[in-house]
Structure formats: structure tokens, C-alpha cells
Amino acid sequence: MHTSQDEINRLDAQLLKLLDRRALMVEWMLSNADSQSVCGGIASAAKQIERVISKYDDQNSSIDDASRREVLQHVASVCLASVQELRVAFLGPKYSYSHLASLKYFGEGADFAPVGSIAGVFEAVLRGDVAAGLVPIENSTDGRVVDTLGMFVRQKLPICGEVVLPIHHNLLSRSPREAITEIHSKPQALSQCRQWLSIHFPSVSIVESGSTTAAAELAASECGIAAVASLEAGRQYKLDVIAANIEDNPNNVTRFAVLGKDLPAPTGDDKTSLLFQVNHQPGALADVMTIFKHHELNLTWIESFPSSETPNEYHFFIELTGHRDEKNVAAAFAELYKQTQQLEILGSYPRGR
């Protein structure tokens, strides 16, 4: 046993030397790059990790691909943070789904700054307090996140990345199932579990809270209280899992937009987000849609919402496949500028997975 532990110690020392060597390589690459992009560096690292994993095929290994990916992502995050500021604002508090999405994209090497509102994330990025921010933009059950789209109208902050996070809600408590009298969570989480809660806890009071984490914290301190929250929040507050994966839609996911001032280069698998208003006349929107068809652009998301400045007029938020630097996308935008009252290209970025 002693000999085995000595060998493990030697292997750990080798790993540390390799980690230091990797950090030096990252520093050298960044110092010789044309621009130092935080989001671009994260996206590039993720792409390279997938290549490494796809080429590494050891049938005798007891470590699965998901675990390898997680380790390499953490290493990449730590190395990048050692040579470049990697402070990230997100809609807090910690252990919320926004926090989990931030960890998925930036890795645990980042310095995370939870803020109290979506507007606060935008402001932190605009002030330069952080290198990037992360905000929810759409949920597969509840649809668009109105506060986020409204902020894009007011601030025009670029999107430089995307995170797609599967959302699994859990009923957590320190009280036994039969003793639960109230279930707390944020409105969106409760909405996504509405049917399950009505079937399994029809007579229990449902109470809205500011966040899933706040609900978990309350459940840890008061008897009879349960929270709908993530497993990470449950572990943090030492709560029992009364029921797991209680979301009504088993394919429930939330997409998050990564905010920053970077302009990611094309990767071959990109999306572009834009915001526009059409002229207030018959057929104006149909004419705009024809432009996308003419240039063979696939629209992946279309949302409209009223203008707060002009009654009976609307903003349109659109996502399409492709990068703004690609010829057909650039040609379509040139026509759009002529056909719209206002056009903002919010960003082109690698498609989230």
C-alpha cells in the first residue's frame, strides 16, 4: 500500500508539472494572438477538448468521456484564469441555474460575481467590472425571458456565446414528505413543475421566492418547508431529495446568452442574433422575411415584443444559423439595413450544446 501511494504521489507531481507547462503555453498563445478574447478563448478550448476526447479511445479505461471532459474543462479554465482576467457576472445567488450555466461555460477557474438582477449583469459588463456576463434568454417550457430581451433593447450589449443547460428540478427538504406544508421556489421553477406539484402535493401551499437558492436556504432552516431547486443547492444546504426530476417536461432546457465585448471568429457552427424594427406599413415584416429566404438563412428563433417608446410598434428578436462574416449573412444584413427602421446585430458566436 505504501508503495502504491508513493506512485500516486509521483503521478500527481507529474500532473502539476504538466499543468504549469500548459499554463505557460496558454500565456504564450495569448501573447502572440491578434486579440485576447475571453469568450473566444473559452469557445476555442471547448472545441479542442472535444477533438482530444474524440481521438482518445482507451477501451480499458474506467473513466468515461463525460468525466474526462469535465476534468479538461476545469484545467482549461484554471489555465486561462491564471493569465487573463476571468471574472464573470451572473444572475445570482450561487447554486442557481444561472450559476450552473456559468460553471458549464467558463469552468470553475473563473471568478464568479453573483448579482441580484438581469439588469445588474448587463451593467456589470458595461462598466467593465467583469470580463463577461451570463443571463437566461429562453426556456423550453416558459418561452422567452422578457427582462433579458428588454435589456437588449435598452443596452445593445453584444452576445459572444451561448449555453444550453438541461434544467432538472428537485423537491428538497429536511422534513419528511408527509410533514411538508409549504413548497417554495422562484415563479419560473414552480411553473415548470406545476402539474407534478398539483398531483403529488395538491393541498400544500405553493410560495414564490426570489430564487431557487433562497428557497433551499429557507427549507434548511424551517421545518415543514420544501424547496424546488437544483441538486447542487440541496447539497450545499444539506437537504434530502424528496423527489428528483419533477419538471413536467423531461426535455426542459434553458438557453443562456453570454455577454461580453468580444467578437468571436467563425467556427463553422455559429449563430447570429439581431434585433430590429420594421417600417410601420403593410407588408413590411413579410418583406424582411423574404430577405432571409433569398439568402438561404435558417431562422432558429423569432420573438416579437412591444416597443416601450412607440405605441403599436414592435421589436423583433431573431436568431439564425451562420456568422456575420459569412458572405450570405453579410449580404442579407446589407439588405436588412435598407428595409428596417433600426437594426442591431447583437453578435455571432458558437452554437451552444
Side-chain angles (χ1 to χ4, degrees):
M1 178 64 70
H2 179 70
T3 303
S4 297
Q5 185 59 56
D6 288 344
E7 179 63 19
I8 289 175
N9 292 343
R10 282 193 291 270
L11 290 172
D12 286 344
Q14 291 177 32
L15 288 174
L16 290 175
K17 289 180 180 179
L18 289 172
L19 184 62
D20 287 338
R21 183 178 175 185
R22 191 187 189 284
L24 288 173
M25 290 298 298
V26 170
E27 182 177 14
W28 180 86
M29 290 173 63
L30 288 176
S31 65
N32 287 275
D34 293 334
S35 61
Q36 296 187 8
S37 164
V38 172
C39 295
I42 292 291
S44 176
K47 189 174 182 179
Q48 296 303 323
I49 286 170
E50 291 302 325
R51 288 181 179 177
V52 170
I53 290 175
S54 65
K55 291 181 179 180
Y56 182 83
D57 185 17
D58 186 349
Q59 299 295 330
N60 297 319
S61 177
S62 60
I63 303 175
D64 58 32
D65 284 352
S67 298
R68 292 191 184 103
R69 184 178 294 106
E70 185 176 348
V71 169
L72 290 179
Q73 286 176 335
H74 180 62
V75 168
S77 174
V78 169
C79 290
L80 184 61
S82 70
V83 298
Q84 187 179 55
E85 181 190 21
L86 196 54
R87 184 167 172 78
V88 180
F90 68 93
L91 178 61
K94 286 186 176 181
Y95 314 109
S96 65
Y97 292 104
S98 291
H99 184 211
L100 301 184
S102 299
L103 286 168
K104 179 179 178 179
Y105 189 86
F106 292 98
E108 295 184 7
D111 178 16
F112 293 108
V115 298
S117 66
I118 288 173
V121 177
F122 276 77
E123 291 164 4
V125 178
L126 286 168
R127 288 195 306 264
D129 296 343
V130 294
L134 185 138
V135 291
I137 193 169
E138 181 195 25
N139 176 264
S140 58
T141 300
D142 293 332
R144 67 188 183 185
V145 179
V146 176
D147 289 349
T148 298
L149 297 188
M151 286 303 302
F152 280 122
V153 172
R154 293 192 289 273
Q155 299 289 6
K156 310 298 188 300
L157 189 62
I159 300 174
C160 60
E162 176 186 62
V163 185
V164 179
L165 183 74
I167 302 296
H168 297 299
H169 297 300
N170 307 276
L171 189 67
L172 311 169
S173 183
R174 285 187 178 174
S175 301
R177 188 186 187 103
E178 62 275 9
I180 294 173
T181 58
E182 293 181 4
I183 296 175
H184 291 240
S185 196
K186 69 176 184 179
Q188 294 88 343
L190 294 173
S191 172
Q192 292 162 24
C193 305
R194 184 185 298 111
Q195 183 177 354
W196 190 94
L197 292 172
S198 68
I199 293 172
H200 295 277
F201 289 87
S203 60
V204 169
S205 298
I206 306 298
V207 183
E208 295 182 355
S209 63
S211 70
T212 55
T213 303
E217 185 176 11
L218 181 65
S221 62
E222 295 191 22
C223 295
I225 303 295
V228 175
S230 67
L231 289 176
E232 287 76 6
R235 283 193 283 267
Q236 172 65 21
Y237 292 102
K238 298 180 174 59
L239 298 173
D240 296 325
V241 179
I242 307 300
N245 299 339
I246 66 171
E247 62 277 0
D248 296 330
N249 177 5
N251 299 314
N252 188 32
V253 300
T254 296
R255 289 195 304 116
F256 295 81
V258 180
L259 310 177
K261 299 176 181 178
D262 301 339
L263 297 174
T267 66
D269 187 20
D270 301 298
K271 293 173 66 175
T272 296
S273 298
L274 57 147
L275 185 70
F276 65 84
Q277 281 185 287
V278 298
N279 298 318
H280 195 50
Q281 61 189 39
L285 181 59
D287 291 340
V288 167
M289 292 297 106
T290 301
I291 294 173
F292 296 115
K293 180 180 179 180
H294 174 71
H295 291 280
E296 300 181 343
L297 296 175
N298 180 37
L299 304 185
T300 59
W301 194 38
I302 305 174
E303 284 287 348
S304 65
F305 48 102
S307 170
S308 60
E309 300 173 353
T310 309
N312 301 318
E313 293 196 9
Y314 289 80
H315 294 279
F316 294 90
F317 188 96
I318 283 183
E319 292 180 348
L320 55 88
T321 55
H323 193 281
R324 64 191 300 173
D325 290 346
E326 295 173 6
K327 288 185 178 180
N328 61 329
V329 178
F333 289 170
E335 292 187 39
L336 283 171
Y337 278 115
K338 300 175 183 177
Q339 295 278 0
T340 56
Q341 284 186 359
Q342 176 189 12
L343 175 64
E344 297 286 343
I345 302 172
L346 297 176
S348 294
Y349 46 88
R351 181 195 297 268
R353 298 296 184 188

